[in-house]
Amino acid sequence: MPAGHSPSIRGRQLIAELKRLREAAQLTQEQVAERLDWHQTKVFRIETGRTTPHPNDVRLMVELYGVTEPGRRDGLVQLAKDARKRGWWYAYRDVVPHQYEIYIGLESEATSVRNFDLASVPGLLQTADYAHALIQGGPQDLDDEETSRRVEVRMIRQKILDKADRPQLWVVIDESVIQRSVGGSEVMRAQLHHLLDVSEHPKTSVQVIPYRRGAHPGMVGSFSILGFHQHTDLDVVNVETIGGNLYVADPMEVLPYANSFDHLMAEAENTDRSRIMIESALKNLT
C-alpha cells in the first residue's frame, strides 16, 4: 500500500469485486499472476488489501476476467484511482500511527458508528481540552507539539458529524467516564456540557451504564463498530490497545462484538435517564 494511504470503502469495494470477477472467471490467484507476468504473490496482496492496485493493473485484471462492458470496466478503474487518493490525515502522518490512520480512513466513510467506552469519552464527542488532557495522560511520552497535533486530528475527525449525510452514532459509556475528572473540574465541566449538547442531535444517542449494574460485557475493554451502506462492505470492529489499534472484519468475529453492544445498550439507562446521570455528575463537580 502506498505510503500515506489507508483502506477506504472504495478500496474495499474494489477488492471484493476483483475477487468476485476472478472467481467467476474460474481463475486462481497464481494463474492470474502467471498470465499477467506478475510476481506470484501480487494478486494475493491486492485481494487481501496489503497493496493498493494501480489503475493500469485493474484494467489488465478486468480484461483478463472477461469484463467487456466499457462502463463497468471504467468504473472499476475509477475505483482504483479513488482508492489511491490521500485523505486529510496524510498531513498528520508524523504523529498519526499507521493503525490509527486506517481507522480514520474507515471512520470517515462509515454510515454508522457504535461506540462503547469504559474509561473515557469517545473521540468523536471529546472537547479539545479534554482530548489534550487525555492524550497527555496517556501511555506515550509526547512533547507539546505532538500532543497538540493529535488533538487537531481528533477535532478534524469530528467534522464527519457536521456532514449532511453524517453517520448515525450510538454511544454507550460506563459511569466511570462521567465521574472521572479528566483535566480538572473546569475541563470536565465543559466536557459534560458538550455531552449533553451533542446528545440532543437526532442521530446521536448517548447512554450510560450505572455502577449499580455491576459486571457487564464491556468490562473487558472499549471497542467501536463501524457500519457501511454497501452489502460488500462488512462491519469493522476497532479495539484500541496500548500497543495500537486492532481490527476485526471477519463476520463471525464481528458478531460477538455486535451482540455485546446490544447487551450493553440494554444494560445502560435509556437516553433520558442517561442525561439525568450526566447532569447529576455535572452538579457534583467540585
Side-chain angles (χ1 to χ4, degrees), residues 12-280:
R12 296 174 78 207
Q13 289 173 346
L14 178 62
I15 289 169
E17 186 63 9
L18 288 176
K19 183 177 181 181
R20 190 192 68 76
L21 288 171
R22 176 182 60 76
E23 291 174 345
Q26 298 184 325
L27 293 169
T28 66
Q29 293 177 343
E30 292 76 14
Q31 287 172 329
V32 173
E34 182 180 356
R35 295 190 188 187
L36 295 178
D37 197 26
W38 289 349
H39 188 277
Q40 59 183 357
T41 64
K42 183 170 180 175
V43 182
F44 168 79
R45 292 180 61 80
I46 289 174
E47 290 189 0
T48 56
R50 286 169 170 78
T51 186
T52 302
H54 191 279
N56 289 337
D57 291 340
V58 172
R59 189 174 287 106
L60 292 172
M61 293 171 81
V62 296
E63 287 177 359
L64 177 61
Y65 299 158
V67 178
T68 56
E69 183 184 341
R72 191 176 181 200
R73 184 178 63 240
D74 293 345
L76 289 169
V77 172
Q78 185 61 48
L79 265 181
K81 292 177 180 178
D82 292 343
R84 295 173 68 86
K85 291 179 180 176
R86 290 169 172 163
W88 59 263
W89 50 89
Y90 180 73
Y92 295 88
R93 63 193 181 279
D94 56 324
V95 293
V96 174
H98 177 63
Q99 293 300 315
Y100 187 36
E101 180 185 350
I102 293 174
Y103 180 74
I104 295 173
L106 293 172
E107 182 187 66
S108 67
E109 299 182 57
T111 55
S112 69
V113 180
R114 286 171 283 174
N115 215 135
F116 169 71
D117 263 276
L118 184 62
S120 62
V121 173
L124 288 177
L125 301 184
Q126 292 174 8
T127 65
D129 288 338
Y130 181 95
H132 191 278
L134 203 63
I135 292 169
Q136 272 195 327
Q140 294 179 305
D141 187 17
L142 304 174
D143 61 31
D144 290 342
E145 183 179 355
E146 290 173 320
T147 300
S148 295
R149 284 175 62 75
R150 290 201 179 193
V151 172
E152 285 179 32
V153 171
R154 199 156 298 184
M155 295 302 102
I156 298 174
R157 273 179 57 203
Q158 295 179 4
K159 290 184 179 180
I160 66 169
L161 299 180
D162 297 329
K163 298 190 303 181
D165 60 344
R166 56 151 287 177
Q168 181 74 46
L169 177 62
W170 288 279
V171 168
V172 178
I173 53 178
D174 190 83
E175 185 175 354
S176 61
V177 174
I178 61 174
Q179 296 295 344
R180 178 175 290 106
S181 184
V182 173
S185 59
E186 289 306 309
V187 170
M188 196 63 195
R189 183 172 288 107
Q191 176 62 74
L192 293 178
H193 274 300
H194 183 62
L195 266 184
L196 290 171
D197 290 342
V198 296
S199 67
E200 293 180 352
H201 193 285
K203 295 190 77 172
T204 297
S205 170
V206 178
Q207 291 180 258
V208 182
I209 301 178
Y211 287 140
R212 65 176 181 275
R213 290 286 193 269
H216 58 72
M219 292 184 72
V220 295
S222 305
F223 64 91
S224 59
I225 307 172
L226 303 178
F228 308 94
H229 267 320
Q230 298 292 333
H231 72 278
T232 55
D233 298 320
L234 303 175
D235 289 356
V236 175
V237 172
N238 171 63
V239 181
E240 203 167 330
T241 71
I242 289 179
N245 296 65
L246 301 177
Y247 296 92
V248 178
D250 183 275
M252 295 306 294
E253 295 179 7
V254 169
L255 186 59
Y257 288 94
N259 289 338
S260 292
F261 194 83
D262 288 342
H263 285 302
L264 290 166
M265 290 182 72
E267 290 282 347
E269 296 285 11
N270 63 31
T271 54
D272 289 337
R273 290 196 59 81
S274 293
R275 285 182 61 85
I276 293 173
M277 288 185 66
I278 296 171
E279 289 168 351
S280 176

